[in-house]
Structures are given as C-alpha cells and as structure tokens.
Amino acid sequence: MLSWDGRFYFGIMRRGYEWAPANLKQTQNIAFFPAQALLNWLGSLFTKPNNPLPALLMSLSFGAASIFAFHALASRVLATRDAGFAAALFAFWPASSFFIMGYPTGLISLCIIGALGAHVRGQYWRSALWCGLGSAAAPTVMFVVAASYLDRGITLLRQGITARRSLHLALWVLLCASGLLSFMIYQRIRFHDALAFNAAQSAWGKAPGLSQRLHRFEDWHWYIQQAQSERQEIAHGLALWRQDHLLPGMTGIEAGVQRWVSSLSMTLVTVGLAAASFGLWRRAAILPFAGWCVFVGYMWFIFTTSQHLLCVPRLLSPAIALFLGFGLLAGRLPGIVGSAMLLLALLTSALEPPSSQAAIGLSKKPGPALSSQ
C-alpha cells in the first residue's frame, strides 16, 4: 500500500503540480520534488494508470540498489568486516522501511551514495550528475552539494586559482544543483514563484522568527526538552487507556514511542558521525564532512522549527557517514558491542510508527513534507 506521501507523488503523476498561494494552510503537492513523480509516470506507461505497483517496485529497487552501492563505498574506505557491519546497519536503519512505500528515500540514498563515491574516486563530473539527479528528488541533497563544493573550492585554493579552474568549478556546481534549479525554473514559469515549494511548507507548521530559531539552535535545554517529552506523552496515553479512551490513548502512546525513536536516532547519528570523523578524516574527508552538513542542516531546518520530530530517522539517513562510523567502531570494540549496535538499529526500525501505520493503512495525516524528502 502506498504511504500518504507516496500517494502525493502518485497524484502529481496524474494531475500535475498545483499551487494556490491563498491556501497556505492546506497541504499542496508543490511541496514535493518531481523526480519520484516522473519515475512513477514512466512506470505507469507499462501498466494501468492507477496501478501503484510500478511506484512500489521502483521504490524497492532504488532502496536495494542503495544498499549495494553503500556496501561498495564502505568496502573502499573500511576493512571487509567493518564494511559488512556498516552495510548491515544501513540496511536496517529505520529509513529502510520506506523503501517499500513509494517514497523517494531509496532514490535519495542512491544519489547521495553515488555522488560521494564518485567524489572519493576523483570522478567529479560523475559526482555532479548524481547530485543533479538527487537535487530533483529532495532538498536534502543540497547539503551534500554544499560539502562537495567547499571541498573542491579548498582544493582549488591550494592549487592556485585560475580563470579556467574557477569556470570549471562554477559549471560543476551548477550541474550539481541542476535538478533543483530546473524545478525552480518550472515553478517560476508556471506559477510566477520560483520558491513556491518552500512557501508550501507552511502547511506543516509555520517556522518561528530568525532570532527564536538561533536561540533554539544553541540552547541545549531545547534539545533536552525534546528528548524528555516522550515520557509525558506515553504517560498521558496510558492514563487515557486506563480510562477506556482507547483510541486517544493509543495515539498518545504511539506519539511518545515515535519521539523516543527519534531521540534514540539522534544519539546514534551523533555517535556515528563522531566516529567517522576520527576514522575517515584523512582517508576520505568528504564523507564525514558531508554527513555533518546534512546533520547541521537538519538541526536548523527541522529541529529549530518544530517540537514534533516525527521523521528523524528518515531525513538523517542521507548522513551516510554515520553508518561508516559504526563500522569503524565495530572493528575496534568487542564483538558483543557491535552486535548490540545492530540490535539497537533493528529495535528502532521495529518501533518506527510510520512504517507500521502505512503498512496497515491507518495513517490519516501526512508527515512534514521537507522531512519526507
């Protein structure tokens, strides 16, 4: 069964994009990037128009391909055993549950892994092509583009700046962002607003002012508050359950569990990225650097704007260096510790409510558009 967001992509395929600036409180499909919808349309050419099977098969195929691509990248920078463990953790991260629901999660992961793998091998134009495709699938890819651009810019400064090298760098970064730029040009021509996709995000909650976001970003109390809120929601849900308010009680318990999973995922991401930074900085600095860019970008665009952190595992999966970091830890710590890390990932996958909701068709509300991408 298609997830809620998967049905949004299916709707874009059938009806095209819609944008009504006067209805900012209503969810509109312009908030979703076009790559997945275009692939769904191509798949529909071989089946009936309303058949969701091609979208689901493509989602699964991209997800499986991203796992194999990640293992190839991990094998290049890690020992064989460590690479296997890192790939297993990537495969069982909670975001893998979205590989079978028509989400672009697999496509996003494949593009980022392909881009970083090409960058590590020195195939910069191939890396740009992967980024260009990925930037048509999700804004998250632009954090990786920023990291790659800074890495190449520093290299250029060391080699000495010339007009030719500067031109190559400018053309290269334009290719990296070509998917996003094309989407913006389309919106400008059709809706007279190149940033309509960004304005549509307000339907999922209006962002606070800049000063408040800056304060949240550096205030550790804000993060502690997020981590502790799950206990309150679970306790409230249990109280309602005991009073025979079954549906509100289940909803509260589920929300608390999802917050707990999000907090746990944030902890795992931080530990994994730290380990990758220490272990890979000399061998492949772009990998942990890009991981931190994705993480910090998430902290700014999501964590400083909302208390409802329901999509942490999904959005942070592109910070692939975190899995490499755990692969490094598995090689240096006793085997039982590495196994415990993998079991922890399996546990968070099993407790990830969106996957269970979508699988049985209970989800009635979409998650935040940006975080689904």
Side-chain angles (χ1 to χ4, degrees):
M1 180 178 291
L2 284 176
S3 63
W4 183 286
D5 287 357
R7 292 195 292 271
F8 258 98
Y9 290 108
F10 210 66
I12 296 170
M13 178 193 76
R14 290 182 297 179
R15 300 186 303 272
Y17 276 109
E18 301 165 349
W19 172 233
N23 298 328
L24 289 178
K25 292 185 179 181
Q26 297 181 4
T27 54
Q28 301 184 61
N29 63 16
I30 194 65
F32 296 83
F33 277 44
Q36 185 69 35
L38 287 172
L39 290 170
N40 290 353
W41 176 78
L42 289 174
S44 71
L45 297 177
F46 304 96
T47 61
K48 295 180 180 179
N50 295 324
N51 190 342
L53 186 59
L56 295 174
L57 286 177
M58 280 190 288
S59 178
L60 177 60
S61 298
F62 284 125
S66 70
I67 294 173
F68 285 105
F70 177 79
H71 183 262
L73 174 60
S75 298
R76 187 178 182 87
V77 297
L78 301 179
T80 301
R81 176 181 176 274
D82 300 351
F85 180 84
L89 186 59
F90 174 76
F92 291 107
W93 184 253
S96 63
S97 62
F98 297 97
F99 291 167
I100 58 172
M101 289 188 281
Y103 277 71
T105 307
L107 176 61
I108 298 166
S109 298
L110 180 61
C111 288
I112 289 177
I113 293 166
L116 291 176
H119 195 103
V120 169
R121 296 189 299 271
Q123 299 169 332
Y124 298 118
W125 290 104
R126 180 175 295 184
S127 174
L129 288 173
W130 277 114
C131 284
L133 175 59
S135 68
T140 314
V141 178
M142 294 307 298
F143 301 133
V144 178
V145 172
S148 301
Y149 176 74
L150 289 173
D151 181 75
R152 291 212 68 197
I154 292 172
T155 301
L156 177 64
L157 288 174
R158 290 174 177 173
Q159 294 175 347
I161 299 176
T162 64
R164 183 176 180 180
R165 288 173 178 170
S166 299
L167 179 60
H168 278 200
L169 182 61
L171 293 175
W172 179 81
V173 77
L174 286 174
L175 181 57
C176 285
S178 56
L180 173 60
L181 293 174
S182 298
F183 188 37
M184 293 173 65
I185 291 171
Y186 163 82
Q187 293 172 87
R188 177 63 183 174
I189 294 172
R190 182 170 179 184
F191 303 118
H192 307 290
D193 185 356
L195 296 175
F197 74 96
N198 187 58
Q201 297 290 328
S202 61
W204 283 267
K206 188 176 181 181
L210 177 62
S211 60
Q212 186 176 0
R213 292 179 71 178
L214 286 171
H215 176 69
R216 289 179 178 180
F217 191 73
E218 55 82 24
D219 184 14
W220 65 270
H221 294 92
W222 171 254
Y223 302 98
I224 297 297
Q225 175 188 340
Q226 306 303 304
Q228 292 180 341
S229 59
E230 71 264 5
R231 292 185 298 174
Q232 301 171 357
E233 292 195 355
I234 292 175
H236 182 63
L238 288 172
L240 291 173
W241 179 277
R242 295 191 188 100
Q243 297 171 10
D244 292 329
H245 300 296
L246 301 185
L247 185 58
M250 288 179 60
T251 302
I253 294 171
E254 179 189 47
V257 169
Q258 194 168 1
R259 284 179 179 270
W260 180 81
V261 171
S262 297
S263 299
L264 178 60
S265 298
M266 286 285 287
T267 302
L268 289 174
V269 168
T270 305
V271 173
L273 287 177
S277 297
F278 284 105
L280 296 175
W281 202 257
R282 291 185 178 181
R283 279 181 279 175
I286 185 61
L287 299 177
F289 185 38
W292 282 113
C293 284
V294 171
F295 181 72
V296 172
Y298 164 80
M299 298 286 281
W300 176 255
F301 285 103
I302 300 297
F303 209 86
T304 63
T305 61
S306 173
Q307 297 188 37
H308 305 288
L309 305 178
L310 305 184
C311 301
V312 172
R314 231 191 314 172
L315 186 61
L316 285 181
S317 59
I320 62 167
L322 77 96
F323 308 107
L324 299 172
F326 276 109
L328 287 165
L329 287 176
R332 290 164 171 74
L333 297 175
I336 189 173
V337 177
S339 300
M341 293 176 186
L342 183 56
L343 287 174
L344 200 57
L346 290 169
L347 176 63
T348 57
S349 296
L351 293 176
E352 176 64 12
S355 59
S356 58
Q357 283 184 345
I360 60 178
L362 293 178
S363 181
K364 303 298 183 184
K365 293 177 65 179
L370 184 61
S371 63
S372 72
Q373 303 174 65

